[in-house]
Amino acid sequence: MAAGPVLRHDWFTMQQLAGNRAMASLLAPSVRTGPRAADKTTDEDMHDDGDDGEVVVDDKDGDPAGGTADAGSAVPMGGTKSAGMDAFSVQWASTASEKKATLHIDYAAKFTKDDTHDPALANFRQNAFHKYEITDGPHKGMKSDNSPLHDDSYTRADDHQHALSDQDFVSTDNPGVRHLSPDDVIDYTFSAEEMIIDTSQGNKVIGKRGPHTATIKGKHPRVVDGVPATLT
């Protein structure tokens, strides 16, 4: 009669395995087969340099914005105040390594706050595109191109430190291709332009940086061109 407990144990084991797989799929949504454009860089992508056979493209397109700011709570058009900008900078850097063809971009802005200007009326936009092809190596043949420049869904809601009413805005982008082999020969291009817009004047652009383009080419050590650059 030992078969009963063994069967029950096996049934519970299968239940646990199924639950673990379901939880894993929730915790690691960035895992896909083959190349894809990720809506937003995940914490796993930022810290996982392992080669699991899957090429991952980081591209924020369409990601629901998260953070402290509420991009939809600005004062409606027609008010007595407008948006103003005291400073705006965009800084690029390379974070490429043997398993990554990646970039890091920092945004920082300071908005005007006085009798005629309200920081809550200022918002942030980024137009961007990526293009890559792996011409040799273990992932040869993988490619992606989402040009031309288009809104990739960044707003002030991507600032996780400041509210919409604050004068300061900071955020980052981490575009690139991850989970490469050191022997992958890649031709990667990323272009972006960043803007501050005035929501009280029909999203009028009051500050613009770029467009700027950077490339990462070859196998490790890969050749990076176009960075670092600080646009002010």
Side-chain angles (χ1 to χ4, degrees):
M1 300 298 293
V6 172
L7 289 174
R8 285 196 296 272
H9 174 74
D10 289 346
W11 184 81
F12 284 120
T13 299
M14 288 188 290
Q15 290 278 19
Q16 287 178 318
L17 287 173
N20 288 342
R21 291 192 187 100
M23 183 59 69
S25 67
L26 291 173
L27 293 176
S30 63
V31 177
R32 300 288 189 274
T33 301
R36 58 101 179 178
D39 287 340
K40 192 174 186 180
T41 305
T42 66
D43 186 63
E44 177 188 7
D45 287 336
M46 287 293 293
H47 298 286
D48 179 11
D49 291 339
D51 182 7
D52 56 4
E54 296 165 348
V55 172
V56 177
V57 183
D58 290 317
D59 179 7
K60 188 181 185 295
D61 276 355
D63 185 68
T68 352
D70 178 1
S73 64
V75 177
M77 291 176 59
T80 57
K81 292 189 176 185
S82 61
M85 186 186 76
D86 295 337
F88 181 31
S89 67
V90 179
Q91 184 170 1
W92 293 55
S94 168
T95 51
S97 68
E98 62 179 355
K99 295 184 179 179
K100 299 187 298 183
T102 51
L103 303 164
H104 178 84
I105 308 175
D106 286 309
Y107 319 119
K110 188 175 185 65
F111 305 114
T112 309
K113 186 175 184 177
D114 55 27
D115 291 343
T116 58
H117 296 95
D118 183 355
L121 294 171
N123 211 336
F124 176 78
R125 291 286 185 272
Q126 177 175 264
N127 291 332
F129 80 85
H130 77 259
K131 179 168 63 175
Y132 85 90
E133 182 175 5
I134 300 175
T135 58
D136 201 3
H139 296 104
K140 179 180 179 180
M142 289 187 174
K143 58 184 177 180
S144 176
D145 184 348
N146 70 351
S147 58
L149 284 171
H150 57 277
D151 186 348
D152 68 347
S153 303
Y154 273 97
T155 70
R156 285 185 65 189
D158 289 287
D159 182 345
H160 297 269
Q161 302 178 38
H162 303 97
L164 195 64
S165 57
D166 291 343
Q167 282 187 265
D168 295 314
F169 164 76
V170 295
S171 192
T172 62
D173 190 7
N174 295 280
V177 183
R178 302 174 187 273
H179 298 190
L180 294 170
S181 162
D183 294 323
D184 281 329
V185 178
I186 191 168
D187 187 348
Y188 172 74
T189 298
F190 181 78
S191 293
E193 61 181 2
E194 293 79 23
M195 295 159 285
I196 302 299
I197 62 174
D198 183 353
T199 62
S200 73
Q201 300 188 68
N203 295 335
K204 176 184 177 181
V205 176
I206 60 173
K208 182 179 177 182
R209 303 294 180 261
H212 188 73
T213 299
T215 60
I216 303 175
K217 298 184 178 184
K219 65 180 180 180
H220 181 70
R222 299 179 171 92
V223 177
V224 182
D225 191 30
V227 291
T230 302
L231 311 177
T232 58

